[in-house]
Amino acid sequence: MEAGKETPPPIIDQLREYAETRIKLAKYQAIEGGTSIAASLIADVVAVMSMVLAFVFASFTLAFYLGSLFGADWMGFGCVAVLYLIIALTIKYNKSAIEKPIVNAFIHKIFKN
């Protein structure tokens, strides 16, 4: 037999090491999942804020343009307000058709693995 051969550790020590390794792995996976979700949410918030600002400025641009066409700024802003009212009513009456894809997108983002 070989003189330098080590005896394997007892099964209890191996099980303890295995359990510790599994716990560490679970912690690292939880940290990775949490940070991934946080980073994704931060990126989404920045993107949504940018889109909202662009939408607001586009609305003002459209309102002032329509105001110049009609000869009065209040008419341009009124037309834009009516346009948004129509969009809001359309969304209100089609709420269930709009909610399902949004919910599915959130679920997909959370469980993207």
Side-chain angles (χ1 to χ4, degrees), residues 61-73 75-76 79:
T61 303
L62 178 63
F64 281 121
Y65 175 71
L66 291 175
S68 71
L69 287 180
F70 294 132
D73 286 340
M75 291 180 80
C79 289

Side-chain angles (χ1 to χ4, degrees), residues 34-102:
T35 55
S36 175
I37 289 172
S40 178
L41 285 175
I42 290 170
D44 289 345
V45 166
V46 169
V48 167
M49 287 175 56
S50 298
M51 286 188 275
V52 166
L53 284 173
F55 181 75
V56 167
F57 285 119
S59 297
F60 277 112
T61 303
L62 178 63
F64 281 121
Y65 175 71
L66 291 175
S68 71
L69 287 180
F70 294 132
D73 286 340
W74 67 270
M75 291 180 80
F77 279 90
C79 289
V80 171
V82 168
L83 174 69
Y84 291 149
L85 180 64
I86 292 169
I87 292 171
L89 291 174
T90 304
I91 289 172
K92 181 180 176 6
Y93 290 116
N94 294 319
K95 185 178 179 182
S96 61
I98 295 170
E99 281 180 345
K100 190 171 184 171
I102 294 172

